[in-house]
Amino acid sequence: LASDYFMEGLNCAESVIKAYNEEFGTDIPIRVASGLGGGCAVGNLCGAVNGACICASFAKGRDDIGQENPAKTYTKTIEHYGTAECKSLKKDRVGCKEIVDFSYEALKEALK
């Protein structure tokens, strides 16, 4: 589970990317997400959601103008929790471990 990496010390965004790399054999540098944990450290867009968006963009992103933009994985988070904002999720008592796993599962669903 992605949250296992979170419990080992990676931030929420890094955890999603590491889980994706492990499961899908990719090599997205985890460091691209180091500044995204904790909603970019200020409680904005959830780092786990950011990490999922990075993976979705890696898998299905566009390389040029006119190509379709990848599905935004944060839509599933908003539908489920009513928000994708870190500080609002925490205010609603959604734990980081839970949102990391939810974001990772939403990512996999979006990539089907």
Side-chain angles (χ1 to χ4, degrees), residues 28 51-63 69-71 73 107 111:
I28 302 168
C53 287
I54 289 170
C55 294
S57 294
F58 179 82
K60 292 190 172 187
R62 54 186 172 184
D63 293 312
N69 201 1
T73 57
L107 165 65
L111 294 178

Side-chain angles (χ1 to χ4, degrees), residues 11-13 35-48 50 84-87 90 96:
N11 75 33
C12 44
L36 302 177
C40 297
V42 294
N44 287 327
L45 180 62
C46 171
N50 263 321
E85 183 185 53
C86 178
K87 62 185 167 190
K90 288 182 179 185
C96 293

Side-chain angles (χ1 to χ4, degrees), residues 6 9 15 18-20 43-44 50 56 60 63 70 95 103 109-111:
F6 179 77
S15 298
K18 183 162 178 69
Y20 180 83
N44 287 327
N50 263 321
K60 292 190 172 187
D63 293 312
S103 295
E109 183 65 29
L111 294 178

Side-chain angles (χ1 to χ4, degrees), residues 49 74 77-86 88-89 92 99:
V49 175
Y74 62 81
T77 304
I78 292 171
E79 289 171 0
H80 187 77
Y81 293 107
T83 186
E85 183 185 53
C86 178
S88 295
L89 288 163
D92 293 340
I99 195 67

